[in-house]
Amino acid sequence: MKRLCMLIVVLAVGVSGMQAQSSREKAREARKAREEQRKEERKEKEAVENQISYEDALQAINSQAFVVEANTLQPRSGRLFFVNPTTNFLAVNNGQATVQIASNSAVYPGPNGLGGITVQGSTSNVKVSKDSKGNVFLSMSVQGVIISATVSVQLSADSNNATVVVDPNFSGNTLTLTGTLVPASMSNIFMGSTI
């Protein structure tokens, strides 16, 4: 009789343990489903925000009033530098283009007072095209006192990520900037002294 009681107790404990394990698995699965749902909602929200940013950037390109706030800078040597987007940019507005390069760690303040250079010029030969994927390409000539270059801008499809290539007409010192393209009215740049 004792053995029978003991067997019943062991079975009862085993069944309740299996039920507890089963409820833990259900809770774990429910938590995983909630996380997946949140992840999907974040993806959808990000896609909508990227589309809005893309539309704003496209409109800014078409009105030729935009700023590419650079996060990285790559000179002809190929070395990649992470830079401050507030002081490293290409700005186009009212037929004028400004290219500014600045360094936070420069000992010498440079011609622009920010450890780099700021050059301005008039834009001409502006051409805008769009491929079947939605990538937008802008090319223009920029002529000024210190700058004579062909500037190309590529806006990635479905976002406001952009790449700028500044190709000087009289030297091979090509400069590539990557960052975000925003309407000039929404930009938060700080311009140094121009040459």
Side-chain angles (χ1 to χ4, degrees):
M1 186 72 160
K2 278 187 174 181
R3 284 186 181 190
L4 182 61
C5 287
M6 192 71 130
L7 183 61
I8 292 173
V9 168
V10 168
L11 285 175
V13 169
V15 168
S16 67
M18 288 185 346
Q19 288 174 344
Q21 185 177 5
S22 175
S23 64
R24 273 187 248 138
E25 286 178 14
K26 287 180 184 176
R28 193 174 308 132
E29 288 174 8
R31 193 172 335 127
K32 188 175 179 181
R34 283 192 306 269
E35 288 173 5
E36 288 294 324
Q37 183 180 2
R38 285 186 198 129
K39 190 176 184 180
E40 195 63 36
E41 288 171 356
R42 275 193 300 264
K43 271 185 173 179
E44 289 173 8
K45 182 180 178 185
E46 186 175 303
V48 169
E49 289 173 353
N50 284 343
Q51 186 62 35
I52 291 169
S53 296
Y54 173 77
E55 294 296 330
D56 288 345
L58 184 58
Q59 185 177 3
I61 285 176
N62 289 331
S63 66
Q64 294 182 27
F66 64 88
V67 176
V68 178
E69 299 174 344
N71 297 315
T72 64
L73 170 83
Q74 187 175 20
R76 180 178 70 163
S77 66
R79 188 168 176 205
L80 189 68
F81 297 94
F82 292 95
V83 294
N84 183 341
T86 305
T87 56
N88 293 272
F89 58 85
L90 163 71
V92 176
N93 202 359
N94 296 324
Q96 292 287 313
T98 303
V99 178
Q100 178 170 288
I101 306 304
S103 172
N104 292 340
S105 61
V107 176
Y108 174 67
N112 66 0
L114 300 171
I117 190 167
T118 305
V119 293
Q120 290 182 321
S122 299
T123 62
S124 62
N125 301 326
V126 179
K127 296 177 184 142
V128 179
S129 62
K130 188 175 182 180
D131 69 11
S132 60
K133 295 178 183 176
N135 296 311
V136 178
F137 303 92
L138 176 140
S139 66
M140 63 184 160
S141 296
V142 179
Q143 290 292 128
V145 175
I146 301 294
I147 187 171
S148 175
T150 301
V151 177
S152 303
V153 179
Q154 178 183 345
L155 175 66
S156 299
D158 299 328
S159 74
N160 64 342
N161 295 328
T163 301
V164 176
V165 177
V166 179
D167 188 12
N169 294 332
F170 303 112
S171 74
N173 295 329
T174 303
L175 180 68
T176 303
L177 305 164
T178 57
T180 55
L181 192 150
V182 296
S185 61
M186 294 175 63
S187 178
N188 189 25
I189 57 173
F190 180 79
M191 193 174 331
S193 302
T194 59
I195 297 177

